[in-house]
Amino acid sequence: MSLVNQLIAAVLAVLIGLASGTLFIMSDSGKAMLLSQLKSHAQDSATHLGLYIAPFMADKDRAAIETAVNAIFDSGFYQRIEVTSAEGEPLFSKETPSDISEQVPNWFINLVHIEPPSMEREITHNWRHVGVIHVQSRAGYAYERFWEAAQRALGLFVALALLAAIAISLLLHYLLRPLRLVEHQAQSLAQKSYVEQPVLPKTRELRSVVQAMNAMVKQVKQMFDEQSRNIDELRSIAYRDPLTGLANQRFALAQLQERIDYDRNFGPATLVILRIRELSELNRCCGEDNTNHLLKSVASELEALSQQFNRSVVGRTAGAEFMLLLEHHPLVRLKPALEQLLIRLTTHVVALYQAEQPPSPAFTIGISHSTEQGTSAQLLSHARLALQRAEDQGSEIIEYTGTYGVDSSSKTWQQHVASAIGNSQVFLQYQSLIGGDSQPLHGEVLVRILDEDNEPCPAIRFIGVVRELGLLDAMDRAVIGRALAYLQREPQGIAISINLGQDSLLAEDFPTWLGRQLMQLPHPERISFEINETVILNNIERTQALRSQLKALGTGFGVDNFGIHPQGFSYLYTLQPDYLKIDGSLIRDIDKNDEDRFFVRSLIGVAHNIHIRAYAEHVERESQLEQLLNIGIDGTQGYLHGKPKTLS
């Protein structure tokens, strides 16, 4: 029971005790008054009756006496009336049983004892004593009147008690409102949400409590802010180029490897390598500060360009070399943006050289495209071959044309993919997520379609076409439909998670459609949805609205590819996902690299501090699993636990 309710109960108990005592005293007083009234009434009745029948008593006219007594007895006030002569001879007597109305409950009769009063009156006629009249009031009448009075008093007491309870409740709620705000502060603090009370209560004790709570909130916030700064600093030292702020060589190449070799849902990719020609000559001629300024300008321009594309990776891979990894874009669409980029950068170089002539061209770009079976090493090698060719030919932009990847321009293939998605002709596989106790937690759904030869093909074969045709939202809906059908068909099957893309997140009707689908599911807790961290940070309001909707429906929500976005993870405090999956690029060398291990441990600590489960992606070696378990991971996913299985 809450403190407010306990105080209300205590105050009401005291009031009820006081009121009950008052009611008892008033009832006892009322009882005495009622008996006094009955006694007086009996006395008056005996007097008036004696005055009327005195002549008849003198004559001992029993018939007249009987008539007079019957007339007054029928009023119901009396239990017994007896008339006797002066010699004590009974002239007439009438008595009725002491019945009590059924309206008076037995417990009240047993609780309250009423002895009806009896009165006698000596009667004289012509100065001669002629007899005595004895009148006794009826007990039933006394009980009935007293019960009516008790009911009225009890009703008034209950009404006043209710009014008092309401008034006390409102008053206490008002007076103790600061304590409820303190409770809200404590609950928010547990969720790493820092709420302070700006208005201090006037009550001294409550003001002290609120001030102490505000001080604690500030202190805890400072502690977690410091933790976040330390982790961000570690991120910068381990994974960021100190001059440009971009991903350093090690981290950029790790993400390239992750997206091309392991994340098959990334789809066909385009790699852009930009190199500053004759950087050492520029440094000699223009000075180190100007050279550093140019490097920062290149980084800033590339980062701005990357914002135009979804799920891009930008980094500095050598002193004069930068890389930009994108989802597949043909050169004809990419070239205008790259040419504008080179124009802006060349302007910077010309301004630096002033009187001297800068090299022409000052920058070269090599471009390559991933193939279905190609590796990240091949993609990088092809881009550098194109870059070298550009330098040899004195060109600015050269595309590697030795082997081109997925033929997304094939009309037949496009029609086949569009038909499969439009008709929901997809089938699902899943990769198990295994908890620390070696038990499966859920299976992450992988979408597949059949190719022209009716053979399953991986996502890299068709995801680029789906993206190019604008069917990503339709594909997500087809996957969700198939997944929900599985959950309804297999009530004892594995729980599943589904990745949602940006197109679905931005579709206006998607939340309504998804809500209708999930409401038909008997156990919505068996499904969860994941969104890439970059997509979340680019659409934070939409993501928060979807998260709230899923939480209300009892469905899980997770962050995919966590830990690589430079913006950090402060958004977790407001989003409050159920779990996060640490990006595989941070996991790959965790058994070999102390920096990776320390950084991942820090990410797990942040997640656990705000009650979020932390999982690791792309775990392939026992040594990785051992290190992850040692630093507190909640679950792991990858080929170590087996190849993807068909979701039957």
Side-chain angles (χ1 to χ4, degrees):
M1 183 183 293
S2 68
L3 175 62
V4 172
N5 290 337
Q6 290 183 38
L7 289 175
I8 291 173
V11 172
L12 285 179
V14 173
L15 289 179
I16 289 173
L18 292 173
S20 299
T22 303
L23 185 64
F24 175 78
I25 294 172
M26 291 177 61
S27 299
D28 193 60
S29 176
K31 173 183 172 183
M33 184 180 295
L34 176 63
L35 291 176
S36 177
Q37 289 177 346
L38 290 176
K39 183 176 180 181
S40 175
H41 186 268
Q43 182 70 43
D44 292 343
S45 298
T47 300
H48 287 94
L49 182 61
L51 292 174
Y52 179 73
I53 65 173
F56 305 116
M57 293 176 63
D59 297 337
K60 296 184 179 180
D61 186 349
R62 286 183 170 81
I65 293 172
E66 180 179 356
T67 301
V69 170
N70 285 336
I72 194 174
F73 197 87
D74 291 338
S75 64
F77 295 146
Y78 312 106
Q79 182 173 322
R80 178 170 170 270
I81 297 178
E82 183 180 11
V83 181
T84 59
S85 66
E87 295 81 13
E89 176 186 0
L91 298 177
F92 181 74
S93 176
K94 188 167 185 179
E95 185 175 358
T96 185
S98 57
D99 294 336
I100 302 173
S101 172
E102 295 180 355
Q103 296 179 352
V104 182
N106 290 330
W107 64 266
F108 185 76
I109 298 172
N110 296 329
L111 181 65
V112 179
H113 177 70
I114 297 179
E115 184 67 33
S118 299
M119 297 300 297
E120 289 186 350
R121 179 72 175 178
E122 292 186 353
I123 307 302
T124 59
H125 182 66
N126 294 331
W127 308 103
R128 182 169 60 90
H129 177 65
V130 295
V132 178
I133 297 178
H134 177 86
V135 178
Q136 182 181 20
S137 297
R138 186 169 65 87
Y141 174 78
Y143 275 110
E144 291 161 10
R145 299 290 79 76
F146 193 49
W147 171 243
E148 290 176 1
Q151 281 183 304
R152 287 193 298 271
L154 187 61
L156 181 61
F157 169 73
V158 171
L160 291 176
L162 289 175
L163 290 175
I166 294 173
I168 293 171
S169 176
L170 293 175
L171 180 61
L172 288 176
H173 275 83
Y174 173 76
L175 293 176
L176 298 179
R177 182 173 178 270
L179 289 183
R180 291 197 302 277
L181 295 177
V182 168
E183 180 184 6
H184 173 65
Q185 281 183 289
Q187 293 172 345
S188 299
L189 190 61
Q191 302 299 323
K192 301 301 176 289
S193 179
Y194 309 108
V195 178
E196 293 186 41
Q197 293 193 45
V199 180
L200 297 178
K202 296 180 180 179
T203 307
R204 181 175 60 83
E205 293 81 2
L206 293 178
R207 184 169 64 251
S208 298
V209 171
V210 171
Q211 288 174 333
M213 192 66 187
N214 283 344
M216 185 174 69
V217 168
K218 290 180 181 178
Q219 186 174 1
V220 174
K221 184 177 186 299
Q222 290 175 356
M223 181 181 67
F224 281 103
D225 287 345
E226 183 66 25
Q227 181 188 30
S228 299
R229 284 193 295 270
N230 290 339
I231 296 176
D232 285 339
E233 184 178 352
L234 172 64
R235 185 205 305 269
S236 297
I237 294 173
Y239 304 114
R240 296 290 162 192
D241 179 64
L243 177 62
T244 64
L246 299 179
N248 60 20
Q249 181 185 46
R250 174 175 169 269
F251 192 47
L253 295 180
Q255 290 195 67
L256 173 66
Q257 185 180 17
E258 172 71 17
R259 301 295 170 260
I260 302 303
D261 297 343
Y262 296 93
D263 187 0
R264 311 310 290 180
N265 288 326
F266 188 81
T270 296
L271 178 62
V272 177
I273 300 291
L274 182 147
R275 182 179 295 165
I276 305 174
R277 295 188 62 197
E278 300 183 15
L279 183 63
S280 58
E281 178 63 21
L282 176 66
N283 190 44
R284 182 196 64 78
C285 177
C286 303
E288 184 178 353
D289 289 343
N290 287 328
T291 303
N292 289 342
H293 179 71
L294 176 63
L295 290 170
K296 292 177 182 178
S297 298
V298 173
S300 177
E301 291 285 355
L302 280 175
E303 208 163 20
L305 179 61
S306 71
Q307 297 301 315
Q308 302 176 24
F309 306 97
N310 186 31
R311 300 186 67 184
S312 59
V313 176
V314 59
R316 186 183 181 190
T317 53
E321 186 178 285
F322 298 81
M323 64 160 272
L324 175 62
L325 180 68
L326 311 167
E327 294 171 342
H328 173 70
H329 282 77
L331 181 59
V332 66
R333 289 192 299 190
L334 194 57
K335 193 171 184 179
L338 294 177
E339 288 175 341
Q340 291 298 316
L341 171 69
L342 291 177
I343 290 173
R344 292 191 295 272
L345 293 178
T346 301
T347 302
H348 281 290
V349 174
V350 172
L352 290 178
Y353 271 88
Q354 297 179 353
E356 297 189 33
Q357 185 67 27
S360 181
F363 301 89
T364 53
I365 291 178
I367 300 174
S368 64
H369 306 279
S370 66
T371 64
E372 182 180 337
Q373 301 300 328
T375 65
S376 60
Q378 290 173 333
L379 181 64
L380 182 61
S381 175
H382 292 163
R384 284 178 171 160
L385 284 174
L387 186 69
Q388 187 61 48
R389 190 177 305 164
E391 291 189 346
D392 293 343
Q393 297 177 2
S395 302
E396 289 186 322
I397 302 175
I398 292 291
E399 177 185 30
Y400 180 82
T401 56
T403 304
Y404 191 72
V406 179
D407 186 12
S408 61
S409 62
S410 168
K411 296 297 182 183
T412 302
W413 179 241
Q414 286 184 347
Q415 291 173 358
H416 177 80
V417 173
S419 175
I421 299 300
N423 297 321
S424 297
Q425 293 175 339
V426 300
F427 67 94
L428 307 180
Q429 294 181 328
Y430 71 92
Q431 190 174 45
S432 295
L433 175 72
I434 305 299
D437 57 357
S438 301
Q439 297 300 313
L441 300 175
H442 69 236
E444 181 177 344
V445 169
L446 308 174
V447 59
R448 302 286 183 261
I449 66 171
L450 299 178
D451 61 17
E452 302 95 323
D453 299 324
N454 214 34
E455 294 292 331
C457 62
I460 192 173
R461 281 285 318 276
F462 61 85
I463 196 71
V465 177
V466 174
R467 184 182 299 119
E468 186 176 345
L469 297 177
L471 296 176
L472 288 172
D473 178 34
M475 185 179 72
D476 283 348
R477 299 189 192 211
V479 170
I480 292 171
R482 286 298 179 94
L484 295 182
Y486 159 79
L487 292 176
Q488 292 177 328
R489 186 174 62 252
E490 301 290 343
Q492 303 302 320
I494 190 171
I496 59 175
S497 67
I498 298 176
N499 279 280
L500 293 179
Q502 180 169 270
D503 289 27
S504 296
L505 187 64
L506 297 180
E508 293 295 335
D509 66 328
F510 183 77
T512 303
W513 177 86
L514 182 62
R516 287 199 302 266
Q517 303 302 312
L518 294 176
M519 288 177 65
Q520 302 174 14
L521 198 61
H523 299 285
E525 69 278 2
R526 291 183 60 209
I527 189 171
S528 57
F529 294 91
E530 302 173 7
I531 299 180
N532 178 277
E533 182 180 53
T534 300
V535 174
I536 290 175
L537 291 170
N538 290 338
N539 307 275
I540 190 65
E541 292 184 0
R542 290 267 187 163
T543 306
Q544 286 177 337
L546 180 64
R547 166 58 173 150
S548 298
Q549 179 189 16
L550 294 176
K551 189 173 184 179
L553 292 169
T555 301
F557 178 79
V559 178
D560 199 18
N561 303 115
F562 175 76
I564 60 173
H565 199 282
Q567 190 169 325
F569 42 81
S570 59
Y571 70 94
L572 293 177
Y573 296 144
T574 53
L575 190 61
Q576 287 292 310
D578 296 299
Y579 63 89
L580 53 83
K581 288 184 177 178
I582 299 173
D583 191 77
S585 63
L586 302 172
I587 303 300
R588 183 149 298 107
D589 294 329
I590 197 168
D591 53 342
K592 306 172 185 176
N593 189 284
D594 292 337
E595 291 178 342
D596 285 350
R597 188 157 52 250
F598 185 79
F599 184 62
V600 171
R601 186 200 303 271
S602 300
L603 294 180
I604 294 172
V606 168
H608 287 174
N609 281 338
I610 50 179
H611 311 295
I612 298 174
R613 299 185 298 277
Y615 304 140
E617 298 178 311
H618 303 158
V619 179
E620 300 180 338
R621 300 185 297 275
E622 287 287 350
S623 55
Q624 290 174 310
L625 177 61
E626 181 181 355
Q627 291 294 337
L628 287 165
L629 293 176
N630 287 339
I631 61 178
I633 201 73
D634 297 304
T636 54
Q637 179 179 326
Y639 280 94
L640 177 65
H641 303 303
K643 294 182 178 180
K645 302 176 184 177
T646 300
L647 195 68
S648 58

